[in-house]
Amino acid sequence: MWFKNLFIYRLHNWNETADSLHDKLAEHGLPPCGGGDLQTRGWVAPKADGEPLVFELNKQLLISLGVEKKLLPTSVVKQFTQARVAEIEEREGYKPGRKQVKDIKEAVVTELLPRAFVIRSRTYAWINPVDELLIIDAGSPSKAEDVMSLLMKSVPGLALTLLKTKVSPGTAMTQWLTEEDNPRNFTVDQDCELRSRGEQAATIRYVKHSLDSAEVARHIQGGKTATRLALTWADRVSFVLQENLQLKRLAPLDVLKESAELDKDNDAFDTDFALMSGELRKLIADVVNLLGGELKVGESANQDLKAA
């Protein structure tokens, strides 16, 4: 298992072991999605059902937020609601008003929920106590927020702040696109997004396109800045850097896949987590260093990459 999208947070007041964290997460385990529930959420075992709620390897911890949700298509609710409205209209001789239709719809949902299918999804979170980081594999801020809020509820006193750098990713990515040399230990790939800062916020996206063209330079000279940029780190991992420091579309390259193949004797889950956490620790450190280092509380951000 490899994380594909990273939201990175600084851990504050972290004093948990794998065992103590398991006990605290167990108090907020995933409850079954009952007859009247539309959705439930809680912690589930990251490796397999019946295993501990915290997977530990090489001082790194893995947890997983599970969500059970009733699958109740809007089209089905609409069909049943319309049928009930038609029955009332035929029986009573009048068409129900807006409020009555709303009440009918709510009653239909309540009636159908116990018969709806339940689907389960999960969001993984990797806790790196050594570097005091929390990394959440989420494609959207709302999913990352769900993990953060339940983790802070489960671990009283824990504080989390989004990791920030002294140079904003947007400033750095824009400078990289105007320079001839690649940033150290990274190569610039062929996907990027440029956006103007005016009210209209015009956006240009390039996919599998040479980014050293005069056209790209002209857009930057015209005032557009980079909001995301595809990069490859050390010929080992490709990813897209976002202006909010999120790393998206992470993919291990052939050299890492070969390493995993050579370790077939061990559990595949263990091997993947060990390889992923080991590589991504170094990748995150290199990204932060490339952006001038971490921005601490009370420090001012730099606007120039070379001055950082």
Side-chain angles (χ1 to χ4, degrees):
M1 50 85 64
W2 266 80
F3 282 19
K4 294 181 175 62
N5 302 287
L6 309 186
F7 281 93
I8 309 169
Y9 300 88
R10 172 60 62 197
L11 282 170
H12 303 280
N13 306 323
W14 182 261
N15 299 300
E16 304 299 325
T17 64
D19 290 338
S20 67
L21 179 59
H22 169 88
D23 292 341
K24 290 179 179 178
L25 298 188
E27 297 178 10
H28 302 274
L30 175 65
C33 202
D37 296 323
L38 186 60
Q39 178 176 288
T40 59
R41 58 167 48 90
W43 303 111
V44 296
K47 185 172 182 179
D49 290 343
E51 299 256 352
L53 294 176
V54 181
F55 176 77
E56 181 180 24
L57 188 66
N58 299 333
K59 299 183 180 179
Q60 304 297 304
L61 310 177
L62 184 69
I63 60 176
S64 178
L65 175 66
V67 176
E68 285 196 354
K69 185 176 182 179
K70 291 287 181 65
L71 190 62
L72 192 57
T74 304
S75 59
V76 174
V77 175
K78 183 178 180 181
Q79 178 183 347
F80 274 77
T81 302
Q82 288 175 340
R84 299 285 172 82
V85 169
E87 288 175 7
I88 293 174
E89 189 173 356
E90 182 178 352
R91 184 177 66 248
E92 305 294 339
Y94 71 91
K95 188 174 183 178
R98 182 178 298 177
K99 183 180 184 304
Q100 190 174 0
V101 171
K102 182 181 178 182
D103 292 341
I104 293 170
K105 182 178 179 181
E106 290 176 353
V108 165
V109 170
T110 301
E111 180 183 329
L112 293 178
L113 271 177
R115 292 185 277 163
F117 288 108
V118 177
I119 58 173
R120 178 184 285 195
S121 61
R122 68 171 67 207
T123 303
Y124 287 102
W126 159 33
I127 299 170
N128 176 1
V130 179
D131 301 321
E132 299 182 319
L133 293 176
L134 168 71
I135 300 95
I136 301 175
D137 181 14
S140 66
S142 61
K143 286 191 174 182
E145 180 65 33
D146 287 344
V147 176
M148 284 179 55
S149 60
L150 188 57
L151 184 58
M152 287 190 290
K153 181 179 179 180
S154 303
V155 184
L158 174 65
L160 297 166
T161 54
L162 194 63
L163 190 69
K164 295 183 179 180
T165 52
K166 293 180 180 178
V167 177
S168 74
T171 296
M173 291 187 293
T174 304
Q175 290 187 32
W176 296 335
L177 287 171
T178 58
E179 297 174 351
E180 293 185 2
D181 295 331
N182 285 317
R184 182 173 55 83
N185 214 24
F186 293 81
T187 54
V188 174
D189 295 333
Q190 294 187 318
D191 291 13
C192 83
E193 179 181 274
L194 303 174
R195 186 182 302 160
S196 61
R197 297 299 180 184
E199 292 183 3
Q200 295 183 343
T203 302
I204 303 291
R205 292 186 180 92
Y206 291 96
V207 179
K208 297 182 180 179
H209 188 284
S210 174
L211 301 182
D212 58 0
S213 66
E215 179 184 358
V216 173
R218 188 164 60 251
H219 282 301
I220 293 175
Q221 290 168 3
K224 290 184 175 66
T225 58
T227 54
R228 66 180 185 182
L229 180 64
L231 299 165
T232 294
W233 169 73
D235 295 326
R236 301 174 76 80
V237 179
S238 65
F239 66 99
V240 175
L241 178 62
Q242 305 277 113
E243 62 179 341
N244 63 352
L245 197 58
Q246 184 188 7
L247 276 58
K248 301 191 74 170
R249 287 166 38 192
L250 276 92
L253 300 183
D254 289 344
V255 64
L256 292 183
K257 293 178 182 177
E258 291 170 2
S259 297
E261 286 293 320
L262 293 174
D263 198 10
K264 287 183 178 179
D265 292 338
N266 291 324
D267 184 291
F269 188 95
D270 295 25
T271 298
D272 284 348
F273 181 67
L275 190 60
M276 181 198 75
S277 57
E279 293 296 324
L280 294 190
R281 282 185 67 189
K282 293 181 284 188
L283 167 60
I284 292 169
D286 277 1
V287 169
V288 171
N289 289 334
L290 194 64
L291 297 173
E294 184 178 355
L295 182 65
K296 303 292 186 179
V297 176
E299 293 182 338
S300 299
N302 292 310
Q303 297 302 316
D304 187 357
L305 187 62
K306 294 183 174 61

